[in-house]
Amino acid sequence: MKLTFKKENLVRAIEAIVAKGGSDAREARMVAENLVTANLMGHDSHGIGMIPRYVDSLLEGGLVVNQHPKVQLDTGALLSLDGCQGYGQVIGHEAMAMAIDRAKKHGSCVMTLGRAHHLGRIGQWGEQAVAQGLISIHFVNVISRAIVAPYGGADARFGTNPVCIAIPLPGQPPFLLDMATSAVAQGKIRVAHNKGDKVSRDWLIDDHGNPTDDPRYGVVDPLGALRTFGLHKGYGLALACELLGGALSGGGTEHQGGDRSKKRVWNGMLAILIDPRALKNSSFEEESSAFLTALRQSPPAPGFDKLRIAGEPERETRAKRERDGIVVDPTTWKEIHAAAGKLGLDVAGIDRLAAG
């Protein structure tokens, strides 16, 4: 039986769990709102189902509460930050706010961020930039358990390493490309496993390197590995994320992951922010409008109702889920119960908050 929750009720329930872990009220609220927003956008892989992983990481010491980005270098248009293993939902927001301030002042900002705990849906940081009229480009690496195989390799060597490109568009919602360089986000494999669903054989290999549709190979031993999207193309982007998000940021690369039993998820990020208004001779707005007008004249292909650009499916899903509620599968909700119990919370109280 599926469970359906209203946004604000679910935020309060998750907020209570995060607060019980020692976070102050602001941090608990920011983490909860970020996770629930991911569910609203249709990215359940980055939503409230992450709470069990966060609680385990907190108890292990891989996640540290109530942290803020530490400035390592600030030359104005170049900014280097240490995330101090803090909640990525707070660290990411504050790091982007600093980069946005500098991009507005200087026309651009290159920001590196190392050692942040899980930054969540990277698209949220792109949205933060475009809300201020800025373009942002993000390369992110993941230090946890390696779960993605290189193209031509038979075992996991790096993480899902997301890329995000956010572009404000005149008179309409932004272009927002937010994707893992793996064929699918690891959390989607977890969600499929919890639901008892099969997955595409293009997404996953088993522990012998063979394609499989069984999501358990991405969740429980014996573990296989995710595949990169687009064969060698996704593989190339994944390596760029490791080198730019990991090595360049100072946060480290996946070979430093250590004990694979650990639950912490550390991210490094390179973010490049550009203020298109600073390019005085640019015809950015006119050309963007002209191109998109021409693009949308393409008739829908068979099986499609209309042509969409990156960001539109998420906005449509959000409108639907804000109206109809957020569906959570029972296995994920039981895992959240178990996480709350580890912190000494009464799970019945969590259910009451979620039910409103």
Side-chain angles (χ1 to χ4, degrees):
M1 178 180 177
K2 294 181 179 179
L3 306 167
T4 304
F5 302 103
K6 293 181 179 179
K7 170 191 172 183
E8 187 55 39
N9 296 340
L10 200 53
V11 168
R12 284 197 293 267
I14 300 303
E15 183 180 10
I17 297 173
V18 177
K20 186 65 174 178
S23 293
D24 61 29
R26 174 180 178 268
E27 179 165 276
R29 185 73 181 182
M30 290 179 71
V31 172
E33 287 183 338
N34 177 286
L35 294 176
V36 173
T37 296
N39 288 104
L40 283 174
M41 304 293 272
H43 292 283
D44 296 324
S45 58
H46 289 65
I48 64 169
M50 291 300 303
I51 279 293
R53 186 75 176 264
Y54 289 0
V55 169
D56 285 345
S57 181
L58 177 66
L59 296 175
E60 288 177 351
L63 169 60
V64 183
V65 300
N66 302 320
Q67 298 298 302
H68 304 281
K70 180 180 178 182
V71 176
Q72 297 178 311
L73 175 70
D74 184 359
T75 67
L78 184 62
L79 184 62
S80 178
L81 304 172
D82 179 4
C84 303
Q85 298 176 214
Y87 268 111
Q89 288 77 8
V90 174
I91 298 295
H93 176 83
E94 294 181 356
M96 285 300 296
M98 296 169 70
I100 287 168
D101 179 69
R102 285 151 182 78
K104 285 183 173 181
K105 181 177 179 180
H106 301 285
S108 65
C109 179
V110 176
M111 182 262 284
T112 63
L113 172 64
R115 294 198 327 125
H117 202 266
H118 188 236
L119 286 165
R121 184 177 66 91
I122 305 304
Q124 180 139 342
W125 314 130
E127 290 164 355
Q128 189 176 345
V130 295
Q132 299 297 317
L134 303 176
I135 296 166
S136 68
I137 304 168
H138 307 255
F139 297 90
V140 181
N141 85 318
V142 185
I143 298 180
S144 183
R145 172 180 60 81
I147 57 174
V148 183
Y151 177 67
D155 67 355
R157 293 290 161 168
F158 45 83
T160 53
N161 292 8
V163 172
C164 176
I165 303 172
I167 305 173
L169 299 174
Q172 58 185 296
F175 171 90
L176 184 64
L177 176 66
D178 179 16
M179 65 181 191
T181 51
S182 53
V184 65
Q186 194 274 339
K188 293 187 186 299
I189 302 296
R190 170 179 51 78
V191 170
H193 180 261
N194 286 350
K195 290 181 176 180
D197 294 340
K198 296 292 186 182
V199 299
S200 170
R201 293 171 65 87
D202 293 333
W203 293 359
L204 196 63
I205 58 175
D206 63 19
D207 56 322
H208 297 294
N210 300 307
T212 179
D213 62 4
D214 189 342
R216 73 182 181 87
Y217 286 105
V219 181
V220 297
D221 289 326
L223 290 164
L226 296 175
R227 306 171 76 177
T228 55
F229 86 87
L231 305 175
H232 60 284
K233 297 179 181 180
Y235 172 44
L237 271 179
L239 295 195
C241 287
E242 202 69 47
L243 297 171
L244 297 175
L248 187 64
S249 73
T253 56
E254 174 50 35
H255 83 279
Q256 298 180 6
D259 187 349
R260 294 298 191 261
S261 69
K262 297 294 185 183
K263 299 297 185 181
R264 81 284 185 275
V265 184
W266 294 335
N267 287 146
M269 178 169 70
L270 169 69
I272 303 167
L273 282 71
I274 303 167
D275 186 351
R277 295 160 296 198
L279 299 170
K280 302 296 185 182
N281 297 324
S282 171
S283 58
F284 172 70
E285 291 194 358
E286 293 81 359
E287 286 297 324
S288 296
S289 295
F291 170 72
L292 289 170
T293 297
L295 178 73
R296 294 185 190 281
Q297 291 174 0
S298 177
F304 292 84
D305 61 337
K306 70 173 186 177
L307 188 71
R308 292 173 173 83
I309 66 170
E312 289 183 352
E314 288 85 354
R315 289 188 286 269
E316 291 173 1
T317 300
R318 179 169 190 160
K320 181 178 186 301
R321 291 188 175 187
E322 285 182 335
R323 181 186 69 242
D324 300 337
I326 297 169
V327 175
V328 180
D329 67 90
T331 300
T332 295
W333 195 244
K334 288 178 182 177
E335 290 173 350
I336 292 171
H337 274 183
K342 291 178 182 179
L343 297 175
L345 273 175
D346 174 18
V347 296
I350 297 299
D351 285 341
R352 285 193 295 269
L353 287 171

